[in-house]
């Protein structure tokens, strides 16, 4: 798109920071060739068009529920801080980077294999024993344990930055459980929304091929055809849980927590609704020390007791191997250049940031003499040089420590490293309607595939919050993130996770459903239905309130008591109980994010936000009744998305059973309270209204509501989706399709209990289904939860 001449260029006031390289501008101030098309495109847009384009990407991230969880800031979680302008890298330069980082990944593999194997590096003096022994990620129970795959590392990340000479440095190695690949995917989707047509024509290399190759590599590591690949997560409270769920959904893998796994006869199994099933590959996203409370961190509630057993017997491949996190400490950066010469006979082609371990006299002297240009901190820290931890010293400033630098280095030198402070290159970010340079580093990802190491053609860039403080290159310091585009000079093939030409289609069996996931889906169905019932009852009360005399009426008095027993406070426009029920539904859904579409999650999150907003403004009466109508439309929209779009397998069945169970219990309770001749006048009409069956009642019966018509329609009519009979039929049908419902012709306890309820309800008439029978029916339906729990969820 040609630049418009009636307004200044977006580069008119862009000034690169002095003394450091800039990704956009070369040393002579010219636009680098890889950036030229993007700058021309942005220049061709009006300010309004640019803001609308950037808003599309931001809106996608909000709708998708992308967030980052931070602890101790009082603002957790917070929106994902994406800068809309990508970081652009030429494909040729990226290929050179891939070759150098592949070499580094091989070096890390060789080092960790030696540390847990022959230990030659320590024995021959290339690595000080204290550097290993003092590292909390050095796991002695894993010494001598060989990985089932033959490799310790399968997925690694590197923090890289461009130094003053324009070359790349490695700032840190990530071998424990590297995060960020899922966020890189979401950054890409958002940036495509901001640059839809332009992106397609810009020769940006796609990310899908990288993930497909990694997925295929993991599947190839399975020991048996019927075993699975899973992703092991610490759970929803982890700061990167969103990414875990997103990656699991994207790759089609089970998302598992430690409690989902059990060791049975030396084999690692997943607890599923079909019984224990084998799993032979785990991509772990939790730190190794938490993986097995029996042999590692005893206080862990995140791991699986006995997990090290199947690892020792090579029954399961862990991605990455437990203990590989030892490589992340700062101290290793001091020794990797030497180890490269020892193990590979050549220097590292991509150097890491200069680091000195202070355990040697010469190194301490160098750090002491150059402390003004260094960070001095813990040797075992995994933080980057630009992210000082508590107790670290910057630029030799010992004020406030009560220590002398010489004495500190002499006393604690073995536990300290000195690292050169560097100035990172800058890249443009969009701020206050203009391009502004900000220091930048990139996390890049490498995966071991069938064809060796493969570098993701892109990455996850972090940008500093200010232009002069590279230590603020982190989200927790107010920084932002950006997509990384690797741009080729020639057209790139379109790529996706879909089948490739020549692949043979085989319909895969539906995935296994872990018991924990089934539990959350069951209760999600119940909570959503419960919230809907609370909204309908509240609307019925609030719509009658304006016409109720000061002394009240028998119906309003009885309804008020009924609502009070349910915990619904009618002095509030939108009562807190509804908000809490929606929060419980959101919590259940958050435990199974990998099983929900973006639209379904966005719908539920929108409902939660709307309830929170209404609680501040809505007042009892017509205002509250109208608000309940809005909420009912939103909650039925969520139910429609879920029930129309979810695959009809076990997960959907548990969700449906929970929904039907809750609706049947609620209707039985309502009829037992207001569906009697002895009840207050207007009770029959109330039941029909809350049961959302007013029009159906008018069509079906030519008389006004009576006990017989109301009980017939809302309890016994199998064609009314609001009736008890309809939902008992639904529960019976879904239970019959669950695993273990009928084994060798013998019904399970759950199947028998459902059949008894179904048979008893089938022979009732409106006259025989009196209040005591309704009460007993409600109790019998409620007891089904115990049967479901015992058979599938415990």
């Amino acid at each position: 798109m040609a630049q418009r001449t009636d307004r200044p260029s977006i580069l008119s006031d862009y000034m690169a920071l002095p003394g450091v390289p800039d990704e956009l501008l070369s040393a002579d101030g010219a636009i680098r060739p890889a950036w030229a098309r993007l700058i021309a495109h942005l220049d061709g847009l009006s300010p309004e068009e640019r803001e609308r384009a950037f808003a599309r990407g931001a809106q996608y991230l909000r709708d998708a529920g992308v967030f980052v969880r931070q602890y101790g800031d009082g603002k957790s979680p917070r929106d994902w801080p994406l800068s809309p302008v990508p970081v652009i890298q030429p494909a040729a330069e990226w290929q050179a980077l891939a070759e150098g980082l592949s070499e580094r990944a091989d070096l890390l593999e060789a080092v960790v294999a030696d540390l847990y194997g022959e230990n030659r590096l320590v024995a021959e003096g290339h690595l000080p024993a204290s550097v290993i022994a003092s590292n909390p990620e050095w796991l002695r129970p894993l010494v001598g344990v060989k990985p089932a795959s033959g490799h310790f590392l399968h997925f690694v990340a590197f923090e890289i930055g461009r130094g003053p000479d324009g070359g790349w440095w490695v700032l840190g190695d990530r071998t424990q459980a590297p995060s960020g690949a899922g966020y890189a995917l979401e950054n890409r989707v958002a940036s495509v929304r901001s640059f839809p047509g332009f992106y397609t024509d810009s020769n940006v290399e796609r990310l899908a091929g990288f993930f497909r190759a990694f997925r295929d590599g993991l599947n190839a590591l399975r020991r048996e055809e019927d075993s699975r690949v899973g992703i092991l997560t610490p759970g929803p409270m982890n700061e990167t849980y969103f990414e875990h769920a997103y990656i699991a959904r994207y790759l089609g893998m089970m998302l598992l927590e430690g409690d989902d796994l059990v060791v049975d006869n030396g084999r690692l199994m997943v607890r599923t609704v079909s019984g224990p099933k084998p799993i032979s590959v785990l991509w772990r996203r939790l730190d190794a020390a938490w993986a097995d409370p029996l042999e590692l961190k005893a206080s862990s509630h995140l791991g699986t007791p006995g997990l090290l057993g199947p690892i020792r017997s090579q029954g399961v491949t862990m991605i990455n191997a437990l203990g590989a996190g030892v490589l992340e400490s700062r101290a290793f950066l001091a020794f990797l250049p030497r180890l490269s010469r020892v193990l590979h006979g050549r220097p590292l082609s991509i150097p890491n940031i200069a680091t000195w371990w202070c355990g040697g006299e010469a190194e301490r002297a160098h750090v002491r003499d150059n402390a003004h240009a260094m960070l001095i901190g813990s040797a075992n820290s995994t933080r980057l040089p630009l992210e000082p931890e508590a107790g670290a010293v910057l630029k030799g400033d010992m004020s406030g420590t009560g220590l002398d630098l010489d004495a500190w280095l002499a006393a604690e030198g073995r536990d300290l490293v000195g690292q050169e402070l560097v100035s990172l290159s800058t890249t443009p970010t969009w701020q206050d309607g203009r391009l502004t340079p900000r220091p930048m580093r990139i996390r890049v990802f490498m995966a071991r595939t069938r064809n060796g190491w493969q570098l993701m053609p892109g990455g996850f860039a972090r940008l500093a919050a200010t232009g002069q403080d590279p230590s603020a290159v982190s989200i927790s310091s107010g920084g932002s993130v950006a997509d990384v585009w690797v741009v080729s000079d020639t057209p790139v093939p379109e790529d996706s996770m879909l089948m490739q030409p020549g692949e043979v289609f085989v319909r895969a069996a539906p995935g296994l459903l872990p018991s924990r996931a089934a539990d959350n889906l069951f209760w999600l169905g119940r909570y959503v239905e419960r919230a809907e019932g609370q909204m309908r009852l509240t609307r019925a009360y609030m719509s009658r309130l304006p016409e109720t005399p000061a002394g009240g009426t028998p119906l309003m008095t009885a309804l008020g008591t009924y609502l009070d027993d349910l915990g619904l406070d009618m002095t509030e426009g939108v009562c807190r109980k509804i908000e809490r029920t929606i929060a419980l539904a959101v919590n259940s859904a958050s435990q199974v994010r990998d099983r929900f579409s973006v639209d379904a999650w966005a719908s539920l999150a929108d409902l939660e936000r709307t309830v929170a907003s209404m609680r501040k403004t809505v007042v009892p009466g017509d205002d509250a009744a109208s608000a309940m109508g809005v909420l009912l439309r939103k909650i039925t929209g969520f139910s429609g998305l879920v029930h129309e779009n979810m695959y009809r397998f076990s997960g959907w069945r548990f969700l449906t059973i929970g929904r039907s169970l809750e609706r049947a219990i609620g209707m039985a309770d309502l009829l037992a309270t207001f569906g009697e001749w002895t009840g207050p006048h207007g009770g029959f009409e109330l039941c029909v209204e809350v049961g959302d069956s007013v029009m159906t009642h008018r069509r079906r019966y030519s008389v006004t509501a009576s006990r017989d018509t109301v009980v017939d329609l809302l309890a016994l009519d199998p064609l009314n989706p609001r009736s008890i009979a309809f939902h008992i039929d639904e529960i019976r049908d879904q239970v019959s399709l669950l695993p273990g419902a009928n084994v060798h012709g013998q019904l399970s306890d759950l199947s028998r209990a459902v059949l008894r309820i179904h048979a008893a309800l089938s022979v009732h008439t409106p006259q025989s289904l009196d209040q005591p029978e309704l009460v007993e029916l409600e109790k019998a339906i409620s007891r089904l939860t115990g049967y479901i729990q015992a058979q599938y969820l415990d």
Side-chain angles (χ1 to χ4, degrees):
M1 183 179 294
Q3 180 182 339
R4 298 181 183 180
T5 59
D6 57 344
R7 55 175 173 265
S9 167
I10 58 172
L11 289 182
S12 58
D13 58 354
Y14 184 86
M15 296 292 292
L17 299 181
V20 295
D22 186 76
E23 298 296 318
L24 170 61
L25 300 179
S26 61
D28 60 2
I31 299 175
R32 298 184 189 275
W35 286 83
R37 291 191 72 250
L38 177 63
I39 297 303
H41 171 74
L42 291 173
D43 262 337
L45 301 176
S46 69
E48 295 77 16
E49 289 171 330
R50 280 195 294 266
E51 293 303 328
R52 283 198 298 271
F54 296 159
R56 287 195 296 269
Q59 185 63 50
Y60 165 78
L61 294 170
R62 286 193 294 271
D63 290 345
V66 184
F67 66 89
V68 60
R69 188 182 298 281
Q70 293 176 233
Y71 300 110
D73 63 354
K75 301 177 183 178
S76 178
R78 60 171 286 204
D79 289 342
W80 188 240
L82 179 68
S83 171
V85 179
V87 176
I88 295 184
Q89 297 295 317
E93 183 175 339
W94 201 257
Q95 179 56 39
L97 191 63
E99 293 170 2
L101 293 179
S102 177
E103 170 191 277
R104 189 178 185 89
D106 284 336
L107 174 62
L108 293 174
E109 171 71 32
V111 171
V112 72
D114 178 80
L115 293 179
Y116 288 98
E118 296 180 2
N119 203 23
R120 183 170 65 90
L121 295 175
V122 172
E124 295 178 359
H126 303 297
L127 269 174
S130 62
V131 168
I132 310 303
S134 65
N135 193 314
E137 293 302 327
W138 168 246
L139 304 181
R140 293 184 182 275
L142 275 302
V143 172
V145 176
K146 295 183 178 180
S149 68
H151 297 289
F152 286 80
L153 302 176
H154 292 83
F155 193 86
V156 297
F158 302 100
E159 300 283 353
I160 63 173
R162 199 186 295 277
D165 62 354
W168 291 104
W169 288 339
V170 174
L171 307 175
D173 303 300
R174 295 292 177 252
T175 57
Q176 174 77 270
S179 63
Y183 287 119
L185 272 172
E186 285 287 44
N187 289 347
R188 176 58 53 88
V189 176
S191 66
V192 171
R193 298 291 177 92
S194 294
F195 302 96
F198 176 79
Y199 173 86
T200 305
D201 299 330
S202 295
N203 301 335
V204 181
E205 296 193 10
R206 290 0 184 214
L207 304 181
F210 169 83
F211 286 98
R212 187 177 61 252
F214 181 51
R215 179 199 64 189
D216 293 346
L218 294 183
N219 284 327
L221 295 175
R222 293 180 299 162
R223 294 180 63 83
E224 306 94 0
E225 189 63 30
D226 65 337
S227 68
R228 300 297 201 277
V229 179
I231 297 177
L232 182 60
T233 174
M237 294 309 296
N238 183 264
E239 64 268 23
T240 57
Y241 175 75
F242 168 84
E243 182 199 17
H244 306 167
Y246 181 81
I247 284 284
R249 187 168 59 239
Y250 185 72
L251 298 181
M253 296 176 179
M254 288 188 295
L255 186 63
L256 303 170
E257 296 182 24
D259 285 344
D260 293 329
L261 301 170
V262 62
V263 178
D264 185 9
N265 291 324
R267 298 187 70 193
L268 187 63
M269 313 290 280
V270 182
R271 308 175 196 261
T272 78
V273 297
S274 305
K277 300 294 181 181
I279 186 165
S280 57
V281 181
L282 269 181
W283 183 9
R284 66 178 175 91
R285 304 306 302 273
L286 80 165
D287 290 351
W290 301 91
D292 184 348
L294 290 185
E295 297 197 57
L296 300 174
K297 190 182 286 290
S299 60
S300 172
H301 295 285
L302 304 176
T304 303
L307 178 60
L308 263 60
I311 290 176
R312 285 195 182 95
S313 64
Q314 297 191 335
V316 62
T317 295
M318 192 69 74
I319 312 295
N320 289 323
L322 298 181
V326 69
L327 299 171
E328 291 192 355
S329 73
R330 285 176 178 162
F332 268 92
L333 295 177
F335 298 97
L336 285 176
R338 182 194 310 170
L339 294 178
S340 179
R341 289 184 170 88
V342 170
L343 294 173
H344 291 163
R346 59 184 181 274
L348 289 169
S349 58
I350 300 179
N352 54 242
I353 190 168
T355 304
W356 293 266
W357 177 62
C358 298
E361 185 175 345
E363 291 81 1
R364 281 198 303 274
H366 179 84
V367 170
R368 181 181 61 248
D369 294 343
N370 296 276
H372 62 281
M374 287 191 180
L375 174 141
I376 307 173
S378 169
N380 289 324
S381 174
T382 60
R383 296 172 72 91
L384 300 183
L386 304 175
E387 299 175 344
E389 72 281 359
V393 169
L394 276 172
K395 300 181 179 179
D397 181 10
M398 301 295 292
S399 61
T401 66
L403 298 171
D404 173 77
L405 179 61
D406 287 345
W408 184 43
L409 290 174
E412 301 182 29
R414 291 190 173 207
D415 298 322
L416 298 173
V417 295
Q419 290 188 295
E420 181 182 4
L421 292 174
V422 297
S423 296
L424 297 177
S425 66
T426 57
T427 193
T429 183
W430 192 254
Q431 190 170 28
D432 299 327
R434 64 190 183 93
L435 289 178
T436 306
R438 290 288 181 260
M440 169 208 74
R441 70 170 190 262
I442 301 176
R443 176 170 289 195
V444 295
F445 305 91
M446 295 204 80
R448 189 184 295 279
T449 71
R450 295 175 177 180
N451 299 317
W453 288 111
Q454 184 171 331
L455 181 67
M456 180 194 291
F460 172 29
R462 299 176 193 256
L463 315 180
T466 67
Q468 302 295 332
D469 184 11
S471 67
V473 185
S474 67
I475 296 173
S476 60
S477 301
S480 56
V481 301
D483 189 16
V484 177
W485 290 8
V486 176
V487 177
S488 174
D489 293 332
T490 58
V492 299
E494 292 190 12
D495 207 348
S496 74
M497 295 292 286
L498 302 177
M499 285 184 62
Q500 301 300 300
E503 289 187 55
V504 178
F505 168 75
V506 177
R507 177 179 289 174
L512 296 175
L513 180 67
S515 297
R516 177 188 53 83
D519 192 20
N520 281 290
L521 288 166
F522 172 74
W523 281 102
L524 174 61
R526 292 201 64 172
Y527 288 137
V528 169
E529 182 58 36
R530 185 177 300 175
E532 182 180 335
Q534 292 168 349
M535 293 171 190
R536 292 188 182 280
L537 285 165
T538 301
R539 183 170 67 173
Y541 183 92
M542 293 298 181
S543 63
R544 290 167 171 78
L545 188 61
E547 300 177 0
T548 301
T553 66
L555 177 62
M556 288 293 282
T557 300
L559 181 55
T561 301
Y562 184 74
L563 294 171
D564 189 57
D565 290 342
L566 293 176
L568 295 165
D569 185 356
M570 292 299 103
T571 64
E572 301 175 318
V574 177
C575 68
R576 189 175 299 276
K577 182 73 171 181
I578 293 176
E579 185 178 40
R580 284 199 294 264
T581 305
I582 294 296
L584 288 170
V586 171
N587 181 64
S588 292
S590 71
Q591 310 283 333
V592 285
R593 279 290 299 269
D594 56 311
R595 297 175 183 272
F596 275 94
S597 69
V598 170
D599 287 337
W601 176 259
S603 176
L604 190 58
D606 176 58
L607 176 64
E608 184 179 37
R609 288 192 298 269
T610 304
V611 170
S613 175
M614 285 182 170
R615 274 192 47 77
K616 301 174 184 177
T617 58
V618 173
V619 297
D622 286 336
D623 191 28
S626 177
M628 291 303 108
V630 172
L631 295 179
L632 281 167
R633 289 189 289 274
K634 286 181 178 288
I635 201 167
T636 52
F638 167 77
S639 298
L641 281 169
V642 167
H643 289 282
E644 288 298 320
N645 297 335
M646 277 188 75
Y647 187 76
R648 269 30 176 189
F649 191 53
S650 296
W652 180 83
R653 301 194 199 291
F654 278 97
L655 184 73
T656 299
I657 290 169
R659 173 175 174 262
S660 289
L661 197 67
E662 189 70 31
R663 184 170 288 186
I665 291 170
M667 184 53 68
D669 189 48
L670 184 70
L671 290 174
T673 305
F674 294 99
E676 290 296 315
W677 287 114
T678 56
H681 179 70
F684 299 144
E685 289 79 4
L686 174 69
C687 290
V688 175
E689 178 185 340
V690 173
D692 198 23
S693 300
V694 173
M695 294 186 64
T696 304
H697 187 277
R698 289 173 183 168
R699 289 197 302 268
R700 288 288 311 278
Y701 309 100
S702 58
V703 296
T704 57
S706 68
R707 186 184 188 282
D708 287 351
T709 62
V710 170
V711 173
D712 182 56
L713 180 62
L714 297 179
L716 302 177
D717 191 337
L719 301 181
N720 181 13
R722 291 284 168 177
S723 76
I724 300 172
F726 179 93
H727 289 285
I728 295 302
D729 283 352
E730 186 74 82
I731 293 171
R732 179 199 60 183
D733 293 345
Q734 300 308 326
V735 165
S736 70
L737 296 171
L738 291 178
N742 189 320
V743 179
H744 304 306
Q746 187 171 0
L747 296 179
S748 67
D749 290 344
L750 172 61
S751 297
R752 289 194 188 95
V754 174
L755 189 59
R756 282 194 294 269
I757 295 172
H758 185 271
L761 190 61
S762 298
V763 299
H764 269 301
T765 65
Q767 295 77 27
S768 65
L769 191 59
D770 55 16
Q771 186 180 51
E773 290 290 337
L774 282 166
V775 171
E776 287 304 314
L777 176 62
E778 179 188 350
K779 292 179 180 178
I781 299 171
S782 298
R783 284 193 291 270
L784 292 179
T785 298
Y787 288 107
I788 293 170
Q789 194 79 31
Q791 184 169 350
Y792 296 106
L793 309 182
D794 283 343

